[in-house]
Amino acid sequence: MKLRTLAFGFSALLLSAISALAQEGGLPVSQCQAIAQNLPGENFPHVRYASFNPSGPTFAPVIKPVNLSAREEVKITFVGHSTYFIQSPDGIGIATDYSGVHQPSRMPDVVTMNKAHATHYTMMPDPAIAHVMRGWSDVPGEKAEHREMVGDVYIRNVVSDIRNWGGGIEPDGNSIFIFEVAGLCIGHLGHLHFELNEQQYTQIGRLDILMVPVDGGLTMGADSMSRVVQRLRSSLILPMHRFGPPLERFLSMFDGKFEIAYAPSETITVSMRSLPKKPTIMVPRGL
């Protein structure tokens, strides 16, 4: 146990030093991804991921002390379909899978989009939106890549393949967008069509909050999607993209491993300190 603790602490200090150097050079650094890539491995064989593991011990993530002021709180609102509106402590507003149909309460500063269906993107976003991030590239053979700091939010993406209308596979047509803000790692799976591979899990890293489609087949079947959710081991799971089978079918896939809760309103407020101790699927109001 002492070896694990020392290795974890040393790695955290090393990552902090690298982060500081990179920030001085104006480069954003993913702490969520860095922890996942650098801790487990042959250099630290006894180190475990700092996330929930239902069959073993849980290790708390090494983070800076967080107070309970509004400076550390992120507000997340379910807007509709697969659009969530994320508001950072500094007031940056992000709308996910933005098509323009489901509008947040104010103009977003950032919108992310995915290509699979027109209900997940628009080719004519409002010109007042400062940052429009498409999860695909229109250049054949090229992947969409986003690594951008917007206010107090670092936004990046991990691409995945999608099925096309002709029954084939379109490489890299979907992006899993990851928002790192106030110490939290928030992931939106987009229109995920296939289970993730090891490289993608590594690129994603730690996710404290996960937004997951629960349509039961338009993206992936409930059993496949549940395997992705359990592998990512997020503290808070927010369903979206509800079609077809009842939501209860998706919820039943977890066999008591996750708590089930229902949000009393469309907006939840979350911080590192307020994350549930047991992984929880929080069903948003209006889903």
Side-chain angles (χ1 to χ4, degrees):
M1 181 62 70
K2 289 183 178 179
L3 179 60
R4 288 178 180 175
T5 303
L6 287 172
F8 199 104
F10 175 76
S11 298
L13 289 173
L14 179 62
L15 290 173
S16 296
I18 293 172
S19 175
L21 289 172
Q23 292 290 356
E24 287 178 4
L27 300 174
V29 173
S30 167
Q31 290 300 312
C32 309
Q33 187 181 36
I35 289 175
Q37 288 182 334
N38 287 279
L39 287 186
E42 59 183 26
N43 293 328
F44 298 104
H46 300 291
V47 176
R48 300 289 296 277
Y49 285 109
S51 58
F52 175 74
N53 181 349
S55 61
T58 302
F59 297 93
V62 177
I63 58 173
K64 295 180 180 180
V66 178
N67 61 47
L68 294 179
S69 72
R71 293 289 307 155
E72 281 72 41
E73 293 180 340
V74 176
K75 296 183 185 300
I76 302 175
T77 303
F78 178 67
V79 180
H81 200 53
S82 60
T83 300
Y84 275 94
F85 189 60
I86 303 167
Q87 298 178 81
S88 78
D90 279 357
I92 298 298
I94 303 162
T96 64
D97 269 11
Y98 179 82
S99 67
V101 174
H102 302 282
Q103 291 283 356
S105 59
R106 68 170 177 84
M107 181 70 68
D109 303 289
V110 181
V111 296
T112 63
M113 303 178 185
N114 272 297
K115 187 179 183 181
H117 296 289
T119 52
H120 296 258
Y121 71 92
T122 174
M123 299 307 293
M124 295 181 292
D126 192 308
I129 300 172
H131 304 271
V132 176
M133 300 185 182
R134 294 182 173 88
W136 72 95
S137 172
D138 291 323
V139 179
E142 182 178 283
K143 298 180 181 179
E145 184 172 1
H146 299 282
R147 301 287 186 272
E148 190 167 349
M149 201 79 195
V150 181
D152 57 340
V153 187
Y154 176 38
I155 305 171
R156 59 188 178 90
N157 72 310
V158 175
V159 295
S160 67
D161 299 342
I162 58 173
R163 300 182 301 271
N164 62 29
W165 290 106
I169 295 176
E170 182 175 344
D172 308 319
N174 177 70
S175 276
I176 298 161
F177 280 96
I178 299 160
F179 312 96
E180 304 186 19
V181 53
L184 293 166
C185 306
I186 304 171
H188 186 284
L189 291 180
H191 212 275
L192 188 66
H193 288 182
F194 303 101
E195 292 192 41
L196 302 172
N197 58 40
E198 292 300 319
Q199 181 181 14
Q200 289 166 324
Y201 280 119
T202 299
Q203 291 172 338
I204 290 169
R206 185 188 98 239
L207 291 181
D208 303 301
I209 301 171
L210 178 65
M211 299 164 181
V212 54
V214 294
D215 53 80
L218 290 175
T219 52
M220 289 197 303
D223 55 344
S224 294
M225 196 67 75
S226 70
R227 283 194 291 271
V228 172
V229 170
Q230 292 185 71
R231 173 64 187 271
L232 287 169
R233 299 174 291 185
S234 303
S235 295
L236 189 62
I237 295 90
L238 302 177
M240 62 180 184
H241 202 259
R242 180 181 180 181
F243 284 110
L247 178 62
E248 285 68 26
R249 179 182 174 188
F250 175 78
L251 299 178
S252 69
M253 302 297 295
F254 297 94
D255 192 27
K257 294 176 182 177
F258 288 19
E259 296 284 358
I260 308 296
Y262 293 84
S265 68
E266 288 83 0
T267 300
I268 64 170
T269 301
V270 64
S271 68
M272 282 296 297
R273 186 81 58 100
S274 69
L275 286 172
K277 293 181 180 179
K278 181 177 180 180
T280 298
I281 300 174
M282 177 74 72
V283 181
R285 187 175 178 180
L287 182 67

